[in-house]
């Protein structure tokens, strides 16, 4: 029995069954490559689902973790934590935000945002103004409040009753938002590009129109940039493409380029509503994770990572569109920077499995959309390698091999 099978069997026996896992047992990673326990290498165009934006084990992030691990692993948020302060400064200097709440995941960042918008509304407009409008096809996390916010029935199924006060509208439709607003509405929460929902980009002008509506109606605008933030779309934050600012933004995934950390960033006017005792997290922004976050942010901002994302994004788009011209079962290619979806007329799951066998990691969302979210340091050669594997698989599908 090889090492992989042994681990797979042990995992199946005792690890929660919450994921349909592929038969890959991860051992190590470097750059855009993941190596399994048997030494097989995989070209990683999934990047931990947009977490490993700097590639696997970026040396500067690893060094920061090693250094911090020898000094202080954890310290309560009852005390001031320099690494957390530095990370908050970097995030505020480079965004619309004035204040950052740190947590450990995307769902927790969104929980913090949901609590903030409700409390701000309660403090300023009274108790009965708590509704939050989100989009159909959205994904905001797996906790009860964030599945309540998520506009996908399949994510909520079996967990009723939901947290009350969420309304879902079609993504990209400004009239639908207008129609959904009532005197009880306090906020609108959107992903600037929907990730899990199938890499859905809104029509031009939509996000600006939502911003204007929020200003008119005194609603808070929350952008969930957990998947698309931190350089992924070719700007540091996706909202920067539209020359607007949200009032609140959530981040996680790539923030420390691997280690788990989340953040909720808000303008001062709104952030101050979360006064001492109203929210918290034991591990949020702890010295180890914040040190990794500082290192990752410095690499992202100083090492031309986003320039590479823009250039490689254009290259990947061209290559994906060439495949679209070649194969009739590719309906659509969409995305921005280095987040791309390829919508097929056939199920994508088996393509993901074949790609894995051939040493390529991609995934499939909403059954028929292949997702490409490689590290932002990807090279043209690696894109060519990926396209070659995909092209081969597609040609076999077309000829029925
Ligand atoms: C847009 C968005 N929001 C929230 C989340 C939840 O993040 P986490 O899994 O870290 O809780 C995800 C995860 O895929 C996401 O893509």
């Amino acid at each position: 029995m090889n090492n992989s099978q042994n681990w797979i069997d042990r995992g199946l026996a005792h690890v929660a069954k919450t994921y349909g896992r592929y038969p890959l047992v991860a051992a190590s990673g470097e750059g855009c490559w993941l190596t399994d326990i048997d030494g097989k290498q995989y070209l990683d165009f999934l990047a931990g689902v947009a977490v490993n934006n700097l590639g696997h084990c970026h040396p500067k992030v690893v060094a920061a973790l090693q250094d911090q691990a020898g000094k202080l692993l954890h310290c309560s948020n009852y005390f001031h934590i320099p690494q957390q302060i530095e990370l908050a400064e970097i995030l505020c200097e480079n965004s619309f935000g004035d204040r950052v709440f740190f947590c450990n995941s995307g769902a927790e960042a969104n929980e913090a945002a949901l609590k903030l918008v409700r409390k701000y509304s309660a403090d300023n407009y009274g108790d009965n103004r708590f509704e939050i409008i989100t989009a159909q096809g959205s994904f905001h996390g797996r906790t009860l409040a964030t599945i309540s916010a998520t506009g996908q029935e399949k994510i909520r199924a079996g967990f009723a009753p939901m947290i009350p006060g969420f309304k879902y509208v079609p993504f990209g439709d400004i009239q639908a938002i207008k129609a959904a607003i009532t005197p009880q509405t306090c906020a609108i929460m959107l992903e600037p590009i929907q990730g899990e929902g199938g890499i859905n980009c809104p029509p031009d002008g939509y996000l600006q129109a939502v911003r204007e509506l929020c200003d008119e109606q005194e609603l808070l605008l929350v952008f969930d940039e957990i998947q698309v933030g931190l350089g992924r779309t070719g700007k540091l934050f996706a909202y920067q493409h539209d020359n607007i600012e949200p009032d609140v933004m959530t981040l996680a995934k790539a923030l420390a380029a691997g280690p788990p950390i989340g953040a909720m960033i808000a303008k001062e006017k709104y952030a101050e509503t979360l006064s001492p005792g109203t929210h918290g997290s034991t591990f949020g922004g702890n010295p180890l994770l914040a040190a990794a976050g500082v290192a990752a942010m410095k690499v992202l901002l100083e090492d031309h990572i986003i320039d590479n994302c823009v250039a490689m994004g254009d290259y990947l788009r061209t290559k994906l569109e060439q495949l679209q011209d070649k194969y009739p079962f590719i309906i659509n290619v969409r995305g921005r920077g280095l987040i791309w979806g390829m919508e097929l007329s056939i199920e994508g799951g088996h393509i993901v499995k074949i790609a894995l066998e051939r040493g390529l990691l991609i995934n499939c969302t909403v059954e028929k959309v292949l997702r490409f979210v490689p590290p932002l340091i990807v090279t043209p050669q690696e894109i060519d390698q990926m396209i070659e594997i995909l092209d081969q698989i597609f040609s076999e599908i077309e000829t029925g091999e």
Side-chain angles (χ1 to χ4, degrees), residues 49 105-108 110 139-141 191 196 224 226-227 252-253:
V49 195
S105 66
E108 283 174 78
N110 284 337
F139 182 79
H140 298 297
E191 294 159 83
E196 301 303 303
D224 175 341
I226 288 163
Q227 188 157 154
K253 287 192 182 283

Side-chain angles (χ1 to χ4, degrees), residues 1 30 39 53 77 119 122 125 133 145 150 160 184 194-196 199-200 209 227 236 294 310 317 356:
M1 198 190 274
E30 193 183 344
N53 278 15
N77 274 312
K119 182 145 188 315
Y125 301 90
I133 297 173
T150 290
Q184 276 76 52
Q194 291 187 333
E196 301 303 303
I199 322 298
N200 303 319
Q227 188 157 154
L236 184 58
V294 169
V310 172
R317 174 195 201 135
L356 179 91

Side-chain angles (χ1 to χ4, degrees), residues 30-33 44-59 61 225-238 251-259 292-293 295-297 299-301 303-310 312 336-340 371-379 382:
E30 193 183 344
C32 295
W33 295 84
D44 192 354
F45 269 61
L46 184 58
V49 195
V51 168
N52 302 111
N53 278 15
L54 306 179
H56 290 282
C57 294
H58 191 285
V61 177
E225 294 225 13
I226 288 163
Q227 188 157 154
V228 296
L230 299 161
R232 173 66 50 194
T233 65
K235 291 211 185 265
L236 184 58
F237 300 113
L251 300 174
K253 287 192 182 283
L255 184 51
M297 284 304 296
V299 174
L300 186 62
L301 292 168
D303 292 1
H304 304 288
I305 305 292
I306 299 178
D307 294 340
N308 191 65
C309 172
V310 172
M312 290 306 100
R336 188 164 219 173
L338 281 171
I339 176 163
W340 286 92
R371 172 168 46 180
F372 307 90
V373 280
L376 309 186
I377 57 160
V378 71
T379 64
E382 287 163 338

Side-chain angles (χ1 to χ4, degrees), residues 93-96 192 207 223 225 230-231 233-246 249 306 336:
E93 276 159 21
N94 289 283
S95 75
F96 69 92
L207 297 176
F223 278 169
E225 294 225 13
L230 299 161
T233 65
K235 291 211 185 265
L236 184 58
F237 300 113
Y239 74 79
Q240 293 167 332
H241 290 287
D242 293 271
N243 292 319
I244 51 159
E245 290 179 348
M249 172 172 72
I306 299 178
R336 188 164 219 173

Side-chain angles (χ1 to χ4, degrees), residues 17-269:
K17 293 180 173 177
T18 45
Y19 311 97
R21 294 179 200 262
Y22 295 101
L24 183 163
V25 182
S28 63
E30 193 183 344
C32 295
W33 295 84
L34 186 72
T35 304
D36 77 6
I37 201 90
D38 298 314
K40 178 172 170 181
Q41 288 201 306
Y42 298 83
L43 182 52
D44 192 354
F45 269 61
L46 184 58
V49 195
V51 168
N52 302 111
N53 278 15
L54 306 179
H56 290 282
C57 294
H58 191 285
K60 290 184 184 168
V61 177
V62 172
L65 278 164
Q66 284 170 336
D67 181 54
Q68 186 59 42
K71 290 181 184 155
L72 185 65
L73 285 176
H74 180 76
C75 165
S76 164
N77 274 312
Y78 287 140
F79 310 113
H80 296 273
I81 300 171
Q83 298 76 15
Q84 184 184 124
I85 295 166
E86 217 184 326
L87 184 55
E89 284 170 353
I90 295 172
L91 289 170
C92 292
E93 276 159 21
N94 289 283
S95 75
F96 69 92
D98 301 308
R99 231 168 252 288
V100 187
F101 171 80
F102 288 104
C103 51
N104 314 289
S105 66
E108 283 174 78
N110 284 337
E111 286 272 351
L114 296 171
K115 283 182 71 176
L116 182 149
V117 297
R118 284 200 171 171
K119 182 145 188 315
Y120 179 81
S121 191
D123 290 350
N124 291 277
Y125 301 90
D127 274 347
N128 204 23
R129 190 176 178 275
F130 56 82
E131 274 179 10
I132 299 162
I133 297 173
T134 70
Q136 291 167 9
S138 60
F139 182 79
H140 298 297
R142 295 286 191 166
T143 61
L144 261 179
T146 56
I147 62 170
S148 302
T150 290
Q152 295 189 58
E153 186 55 44
K154 68 171 190 227
I155 304 283
R156 298 191 298 263
F159 298 107
M162 291 294 105
I163 307 276
F166 290 94
K167 273 190 182 171
Y168 320 108
V169 294
F171 186 56
D173 180 347
I174 191 72
Q175 295 309 330
I177 297 190
K178 283 186 186 162
I181 294 172
T182 71
Q184 276 76 52
T185 310
C186 70
I188 299 174
M189 179 172 180
L190 295 170
E191 294 159 83
I193 294 176
Q194 291 187 333
E196 301 303 303
I199 322 298
N200 303 319
C201 304
D204 285 346
Y206 172 69
L207 297 176
Q208 280 124 332
V210 177
R211 175 70 271 176
E212 280 164 26
L213 195 55
C214 286
D215 292 341
E216 272 165 39
Q217 307 273 339
E218 295 183 34
L219 307 175
L220 269 73
L221 178 58
V222 181
F223 278 169
D224 175 341
E225 294 225 13
I226 288 163
Q227 188 157 154
V228 296
L230 299 161
R232 173 66 50 194
T233 65
K235 291 211 185 265
L236 184 58
F237 300 113
Y239 74 79
Q240 293 167 332
H241 290 287
D242 293 271
N243 292 319
I244 51 159
E245 290 179 348
D247 302 305
V248 178
M249 172 172 72
T250 52
L251 300 174
K253 287 192 182 283
L255 184 51
I261 186 167
M264 191 260 316
I265 304 176
K267 291 184 180 163
E268 179 68 19
K269 181 177 171 194

